[in-house]
Amino acid sequence: MYEWNEAVQEMVDWLEAHLLEEPTLPELSRQVGYSPTYCSMLFHRVCGVTLKSYTARRRLTLAAQALRNSQERILDIALACGFSSQEALTRAFRSAFGLTPAAFRRGGGPLPLFLPKEVFSPWHRGQQQQGGNHMSLKDLREARVRVEYIPAHKYVGVWEERARNYGEFWRYHDCDSVCGTVESLRSLSHPVVASHTAGWWYPQGERRYFYGFGALPDYAGPVPEGFAVREFPGSYYLVFYHPPFDYMEDNGEVMRRVEELAWNYDLAKARLDASGLSTAAGNGRFVWNEEACQCYQRHYPEGLGYEILRPVALG
C-alpha cells in the first residue's frame, strides 16, 4: 500500500508542477512508469477524485487565490490558470462555488478551496532516498511538558459535539470542504493559533472536538457557513509534546504517548518559574483553566512534531 501511495504522490507532485500547462495522461504515465489506465485507476482509488477533476479543482483554487491576492484582470487570471477564456473560468467558478469570480473579488466570503493532496510523507520519501528509514521505535522519545502563554484571541471553527477526536470529526464533515475553507482564510489566522490548529472543548463536561483557525482579538472577517466565532482570554498552557518524528512509522505510538501524558497529568506537580515548567520550587500552583479556554492540538509530524495544549491558571 505504501508503494501505491508513493506512486500517487509522485503523480500529484508532477501535476502540481504542470497545472498551468496542459498535462496529459500519457505524459503522466511516462513520468511514473505505469500504464495510463493503471495511473488513472490508482490515482482515483488513493485520492478519491479523478485525475481530470483534481486538475480542474486545483486550477480553480489557483484562480481563486489570484483573485483574492492580486489586482490582475479576471481575463488574465483565467488564461494564466489554464482556462480558455474568462467565460470558461466564470462557468467553472460558478458551478464549483456558487458565485462568479467578480462577485468573489468584491467580497463574496470564504471558499472551500481544494488543497494539494498529500498521500505519502515527503520527509519519509527523503529518508528512503538517503538509504532507508532512519526513524524507528528505538528513536522515539518520552512525551515531555513545557509552559506556553497564548494571548487573548478569537477562534473561527466547527465545534462538533458528536466527535471526541480527529477521526470521529471527519465522520460528520467533508474534509476537503472544511480544510479548503480554512485554507482560504489562512492569511487572516492568528500567528500562534494558526490555520488548521484543532482541539477539544468541554460541553457538559465531556471532551469534544473542533477544527478551524485562530484569529486576532479584533477579528471581524468572514465566518463561513457551519462555522462559529468564539472569544478566549489569554492563558498559560501546559504543552505536552513529542519532537518531530516519522509519520509513517511512528505516528500512532507518538500520539499515544503524548495523549496518555496530557490526559493523565498530575497537575500538583506543575510549578511556574522564570524558566518555564519546574517540579521544584516555583512562584505558584496551576489549576486547569478549561472552563474559560479550550485545548489545542498541533500535529505536524516532520516539522513540529505532535503537541496537546491544555490551559491552566495560577491558583
Side-chain angles (χ1 to χ4, degrees):
M1 182 176 178
Y2 287 168
E3 292 179 359
W4 288 1
N5 284 39
E6 185 176 11
V8 172
Q9 189 65 58
E10 189 175 350
M11 296 183 208
V12 169
D13 294 344
W14 186 86
L15 285 171
E16 289 294 322
H18 296 83
L19 275 177
L20 303 184
E21 303 167 16
E22 290 294 334
T24 67
L25 184 54
E27 289 174 324
L28 177 61
S29 170
R30 288 192 293 272
Q31 176 70 23
V32 300
Y34 292 131
S35 71
T37 300
Y38 189 74
C39 282
S40 182
M41 179 276 296
L42 190 60
F43 190 93
H44 193 186
R45 175 178 294 180
V46 173
C47 291
V49 296
T50 65
L51 282 161
K52 182 178 180 181
S53 176
Y54 181 90
T55 302
R57 293 166 74 179
R58 286 292 296 135
R59 284 177 167 179
L60 277 173
T61 290
L62 294 180
Q65 292 171 328
L67 287 164
R68 180 190 63 194
N69 299 329
S70 78
Q71 298 300 317
E72 294 184 56
R73 295 187 306 166
I74 295 177
L75 172 60
D76 294 334
I77 290 173
L79 298 178
C81 292
F83 294 89
S84 60
S85 64
Q86 182 172 333
E87 289 73 20
L89 171 61
T90 298
R91 286 194 300 271
F93 205 91
R94 188 196 298 273
S95 176
F97 301 129
L99 75 171
T100 66
F104 172 65
R105 172 169 273 178
R106 288 195 299 269
L111 299 178
L113 301 183
F114 187 71
L115 308 183
K117 290 289 185 180
E118 184 172 313
V119 297
F120 190 78
S121 163
W123 184 91
H124 186 266
R125 182 171 61 231
Q127 294 296 328
Q128 288 185 329
Q129 291 170 349
Q130 293 172 25
N133 185 353
H134 301 294
M135 180 72 80
S136 67
L137 287 174
K138 70 179 185 297
D139 298 310
L140 289 170
R141 311 289 193 267
E142 291 303 315
R144 308 170 187 176
V145 58
R146 68 175 192 270
V147 171
E148 179 176 329
Y149 183 79
I150 297 180
H153 60 282
K154 291 182 179 178
Y155 190 90
V156 184
V158 178
W159 281 267
E160 179 50 71
E161 294 195 19
R162 295 167 292 183
R164 292 167 295 180
N165 54 49
Y166 180 89
E168 291 183 2
F169 182 90
W170 299 116
R171 295 178 189 173
Y172 305 106
H173 302 278
D174 179 74
C175 182
D176 286 340
S177 177
V178 173
C179 291
T181 299
V182 171
E183 185 66 20
S184 75
L185 298 169
R186 175 183 288 274
S187 63
L188 303 178
S189 63
H190 193 276
V192 178
V193 188
S195 291
H196 307 289
T197 298
W200 298 266
W201 93 114
Y202 292 82
Q204 291 80 52
E206 298 289 334
R207 193 161 62 233
R208 292 296 181 261
Y209 200 79
F210 62 84
Y211 193 95
F213 67 97
L216 294 172
D218 59 354
Y219 180 80
V223 180
E225 183 178 357
F227 287 62
V229 173
R230 298 182 182 179
E231 296 187 39
F232 298 98
S235 177
Y236 287 102
Y237 288 74
L238 295 191
V239 182
F240 304 91
Y241 69 98
H242 189 287
F245 59 93
D246 176 3
Y247 175 82
M248 289 294 189
E249 184 77 15
D250 296 326
N251 185 66
E253 178 63 16
V254 166
M255 293 184 71
R256 185 194 68 78
R257 293 185 182 196
V258 172
E259 292 177 11
E260 183 175 280
L261 179 62
W263 304 130
N264 298 287
Y265 190 71
D266 183 359
L267 199 56
K269 294 180 179 179
R271 294 285 196 277
L272 183 67
D273 61 21
S275 62
L277 186 67
S278 172
T279 56
N283 297 329
R285 184 180 297 275
F286 283 129
V287 294
W288 295 118
N289 195 27
E290 290 164 335
E291 291 187 3
C293 299
Q294 55 190 12
C295 302
Y296 287 114
Q297 179 188 49
R298 297 167 176 159
H299 187 237
Y300 304 101
E302 287 82 38
L304 175 73
Y306 183 53
E307 299 181 352
I308 291 177
L309 295 80
R310 294 187 67 181
V312 292
L314 284 173

